[in-house]
Amino acid sequence: MTPRRINLAGIETIATGGWHTVALNKQNQVWVWGGNWYGQLGLSSIDNESTPRRVNLPSIKQVAAGEWHTVALDKEGYLWSWGSNERGQLGDGSIGEGVYKSIPQRADLVNIVVN
């Protein structure tokens, strides 16, 4: 296999999950691609994506990816999460096998400080 250049400029941060990739650009926009079996791309579907797609979120300053879920911290200090919630990793109070969110959900956490 030969590495391939992805045509996505201005990326400042990248995170990888088990089967998906999340990138944050200089405009504070989140881009995702890869496996999406549990909605971890946040695109309101569970279709896999082979090219980067922008996630509908407010201005984001940090992203992280778990094996089957994704989280983002916005400029106002709110945490957004989506994907699998089998072990309660989305922080929204729900939990269980087959529980997933394919659209980013704002958690009831605010004023998270990241150094």
Side-chain angles (χ1 to χ4, degrees):
M1 246 186 186
T2 304
R4 160 176 92 87
R5 181 177 179 213
I6 297 173
N7 191 18
L8 195 58
I11 298 301
E12 292 196 326
T13 303
I14 194 162
T16 58
W19 298 91
H20 70 295
T21 303
V22 184
L24 180 64
N25 69 11
K26 292 178 183 178
Q27 292 77 34
N28 303 106
Q29 299 168 329
V30 175
W31 295 81
V32 294
W33 62 96
N36 194 31
W37 299 280
Y38 297 99
Q40 62 264 41
L41 298 184
L43 301 172
S44 75
S45 76
I46 56 170
D47 297 331
N48 298 332
E49 294 292 339
S50 61
T51 57
R53 298 265 318 269
R54 185 172 171 224
V55 181
N56 185 19
L57 286 164
S59 186
I60 298 296
K61 68 178 184 178
Q62 189 172 359
V63 294
E67 183 147 359
W68 305 109
H69 73 289
T70 307
V71 294
L73 182 63
D74 73 21
K75 292 258 186 185
E76 302 297 318
Y78 288 100
L79 181 69
W80 297 79
S81 60
W82 58 96
S84 174
N85 203 29
E86 191 168 316
R87 304 283 183 245
Q89 58 267 51
L90 300 185
D92 67 357
S94 65
I95 190 171
E97 188 172 332
V99 176
Y100 66 87
K101 307 289 169 88
S102 62
I103 297 173
Q105 309 286 313
R106 192 173 87 180
D108 286 335
L109 304 170
V110 69
N111 297 324
I112 297 170
V113 177
V114 177
N115 294 328

